[in-house]
Short mmCIF file of all heavy atoms in Angstrom, two decimals:
data_model
loop_
_atom_site.label_atom_id
_atom_site.label_comp_id
_atom_site.label_asym_id
_atom_site.label_seq_id
_atom_site.Cartn_x
_atom_site.Cartn_y
_atom_site.Cartn_z
N LYS A 3 7.83 -18.47 2.11
CA LYS A 3 7.19 -18.93 3.34
C LYS A 3 8.19 -19.51 4.32
O LYS A 3 8.02 -19.40 5.52
CB LYS A 3 6.10 -19.97 3.02
CG LYS A 3 4.97 -19.44 2.17
CD LYS A 3 4.23 -18.32 2.84
CE LYS A 3 3.12 -17.81 1.95
NZ LYS A 3 2.64 -16.51 2.29
N ALA A 15 19.42 -14.67 -9.26
CA ALA A 15 20.68 -14.53 -10.01
C ALA A 15 20.74 -15.51 -11.17
O ALA A 15 21.17 -15.16 -12.28
CB ALA A 15 21.87 -14.73 -9.08
N ARG A 21 19.21 -15.20 -18.74
CA ARG A 21 18.53 -14.17 -19.52
C ARG A 21 17.00 -14.30 -19.50
O ARG A 21 16.32 -13.99 -20.48
CB ARG A 21 19.06 -14.12 -20.94
CG ARG A 21 20.54 -13.78 -21.01
CD ARG A 21 20.95 -13.50 -22.44
NE ARG A 21 22.38 -13.38 -22.59
CZ ARG A 21 23.07 -12.27 -22.35
NH1 ARG A 21 22.47 -11.20 -21.93
NH2 ARG A 21 24.37 -12.25 -22.54
N SER A 34 10.14 -10.58 -0.44
CA SER A 34 9.32 -11.20 0.60
C SER A 34 10.08 -12.32 1.31
O SER A 34 9.98 -12.47 2.52
CB SER A 34 8.02 -11.72 -0.01
OG SER A 34 7.18 -12.22 1.00
N CYS A 36 13.29 -12.44 1.71
CA CYS A 36 14.25 -11.74 2.57
C CYS A 36 13.56 -11.21 3.82
O CYS A 36 14.12 -11.27 4.93
CB CYS A 36 14.94 -10.61 1.82
SG CYS A 36 16.07 -11.17 0.53
N ALA A 47 18.26 -3.82 -0.64
CA ALA A 47 19.03 -3.78 -1.89
C ALA A 47 18.16 -4.19 -3.08
O ALA A 47 18.20 -3.55 -4.14
CB ALA A 47 20.25 -4.69 -1.78
N PHE A 49 14.91 -4.04 -3.30
CA PHE A 49 13.90 -3.00 -3.54
C PHE A 49 14.49 -1.84 -4.32
O PHE A 49 13.86 -1.29 -5.21
CB PHE A 49 13.29 -2.51 -2.22
CG PHE A 49 12.21 -1.50 -2.43
CD1 PHE A 49 10.94 -1.90 -2.83
CD2 PHE A 49 12.45 -0.15 -2.27
CE1 PHE A 49 9.94 -0.98 -3.05
CE2 PHE A 49 11.46 0.79 -2.49
CZ PHE A 49 10.20 0.37 -2.88
N GLN A 55 14.22 -0.29 -11.96
CA GLN A 55 13.71 -0.92 -13.18
C GLN A 55 12.21 -0.73 -13.36
O GLN A 55 11.72 -0.72 -14.48
CB GLN A 55 14.05 -2.41 -13.17
CG GLN A 55 15.53 -2.66 -13.28
CD GLN A 55 15.87 -4.15 -13.30
OE1 GLN A 55 14.99 -5.00 -13.33
NE2 GLN A 55 17.15 -4.45 -13.27
N LEU A 64 7.47 -2.48 -0.83
CA LEU A 64 7.97 -1.48 0.11
C LEU A 64 7.57 -1.87 1.53
O LEU A 64 8.38 -1.79 2.46
CB LEU A 64 7.45 -0.09 -0.23
CG LEU A 64 7.82 1.02 0.76
CD1 LEU A 64 9.34 1.17 0.89
CD2 LEU A 64 7.19 2.33 0.33
N SER A 75 14.19 -3.64 14.53
CA SER A 75 14.08 -2.34 15.21
C SER A 75 14.81 -1.22 14.49
O SER A 75 15.30 -0.28 15.12
CB SER A 75 14.58 -2.45 16.66
OG SER A 75 13.77 -3.34 17.38
N ARG A 85 9.17 7.71 3.68
CA ARG A 85 9.11 9.13 3.30
C ARG A 85 9.76 9.37 1.94
O ARG A 85 9.24 10.08 1.09
CB ARG A 85 9.80 9.98 4.38
CG ARG A 85 9.60 11.47 4.19
CD ARG A 85 10.14 12.28 5.36
NE ARG A 85 9.47 11.93 6.60
CZ ARG A 85 10.09 11.33 7.64
NH1 ARG A 85 11.35 11.03 7.58
NH2 ARG A 85 9.42 11.05 8.74
N ASP A 89 7.88 10.67 -1.52
CA ASP A 89 8.34 11.84 -2.28
C ASP A 89 8.61 11.47 -3.74
O ASP A 89 8.26 12.21 -4.66
CB ASP A 89 9.60 12.44 -1.65
CG ASP A 89 9.31 13.13 -0.32
OD1 ASP A 89 8.13 13.43 -0.04
OD2 ASP A 89 10.28 13.35 0.44
N THR A 93 6.31 12.51 -7.54
CA THR A 93 6.78 13.07 -8.80
C THR A 93 6.26 12.28 -10.00
O THR A 93 6.27 12.78 -11.11
CB THR A 93 8.33 13.09 -8.86
OG1 THR A 93 8.83 11.76 -8.87
CG2 THR A 93 8.92 13.87 -7.71
N LEU A 94 5.80 11.05 -9.76
CA LEU A 94 5.33 10.19 -10.85
C LEU A 94 3.84 10.29 -11.09
O LEU A 94 3.35 9.88 -12.13
CB LEU A 94 5.66 8.72 -10.53
CG LEU A 94 7.14 8.36 -10.34
CD1 LEU A 94 7.27 6.93 -9.87
CD2 LEU A 94 7.89 8.57 -11.63
N ASN A 103 -14.21 19.67 -3.61
CA ASN A 103 -15.18 20.48 -2.86
C ASN A 103 -16.60 19.94 -2.98
O ASN A 103 -17.39 20.09 -2.06
CB ASN A 103 -15.13 21.94 -3.34
CG ASN A 103 -13.83 22.61 -2.95
OD1 ASN A 103 -13.18 22.19 -2.00
ND2 ASN A 103 -13.46 23.63 -3.69
N SER A 106 -18.66 16.26 0.05
CA SER A 106 -18.56 16.74 1.43
C SER A 106 -18.74 15.60 2.42
O SER A 106 -19.32 14.57 2.10
CB SER A 106 -19.61 17.81 1.70
OG SER A 106 -20.90 17.23 1.69
N LEU A 118 -14.05 9.49 9.66
CA LEU A 118 -13.25 9.71 10.86
C LEU A 118 -12.04 10.58 10.56
O LEU A 118 -11.62 11.36 11.40
CB LEU A 118 -12.79 8.37 11.43
CG LEU A 118 -13.92 7.41 11.81
CD1 LEU A 118 -13.35 6.07 12.21
CD2 LEU A 118 -14.75 8.00 12.93
N MET A 119 -11.49 10.41 9.36
CA MET A 119 -10.32 11.19 8.98
C MET A 119 -10.20 11.20 7.46
O MET A 119 -10.50 10.22 6.81
CB MET A 119 -9.05 10.55 9.57
CG MET A 119 -7.84 11.45 9.43
SD MET A 119 -6.28 10.78 8.84
CE MET A 119 -6.58 9.51 7.72
N GLN A 120 -9.77 12.31 6.93
CA GLN A 120 -9.47 12.43 5.51
C GLN A 120 -8.27 13.33 5.41
O GLN A 120 -8.30 14.47 5.87
CB GLN A 120 -10.68 12.99 4.77
CG GLN A 120 -10.52 13.10 3.29
CD GLN A 120 -9.95 14.44 2.87
OE1 GLN A 120 -10.42 15.49 3.26
NE2 GLN A 120 -8.91 14.40 2.08
N HIS A 143 -18.36 4.84 -3.67
CA HIS A 143 -18.26 4.94 -5.13
C HIS A 143 -19.50 5.64 -5.70
O HIS A 143 -19.37 6.52 -6.56
CB HIS A 143 -18.10 3.56 -5.77
CG HIS A 143 -16.71 3.06 -5.82
ND1 HIS A 143 -15.75 3.58 -6.66
CD2 HIS A 143 -16.10 2.07 -5.12
CE1 HIS A 143 -14.61 2.94 -6.49
NE2 HIS A 143 -14.79 2.02 -5.56
N ASP A 144 -20.67 5.26 -5.22
CA ASP A 144 -21.91 5.87 -5.70
C ASP A 144 -21.93 7.37 -5.41
O ASP A 144 -22.28 8.17 -6.28
CB ASP A 144 -23.13 5.21 -5.05
CG ASP A 144 -23.37 3.79 -5.52
OD1 ASP A 144 -22.72 3.36 -6.51
OD2 ASP A 144 -24.19 3.09 -4.89
N THR A 164 -17.62 -7.34 12.33
CA THR A 164 -16.64 -6.48 13.00
C THR A 164 -16.94 -5.01 12.76
O THR A 164 -17.21 -4.61 11.64
CB THR A 164 -15.23 -6.81 12.48
OG1 THR A 164 -14.98 -8.20 12.65
CG2 THR A 164 -14.17 -6.01 13.22
N VAL A 183 -0.47 3.81 1.46
CA VAL A 183 -1.20 3.16 2.54
C VAL A 183 -0.94 1.65 2.54
O VAL A 183 -0.76 1.05 3.60
CB VAL A 183 -2.72 3.47 2.45
CG1 VAL A 183 -3.48 2.78 3.56
CG2 VAL A 183 -2.95 4.97 2.52
#
Side-chain angles (χ1 to χ4, degrees):
K3 298 298 180 200
R21 298 190 189 277
S34 185
C36 291
F49 183 78
Q55 293 181 5
L64 175 59
S75 297
R85 189 173 300 114
D89 290 343
T93 66
L94 300 173
N103 291 336
S106 69
L118 301 173
M119 191 226 32
Q120 183 270 310
H143 275 289
D144 290 349
T164 305
V183 179

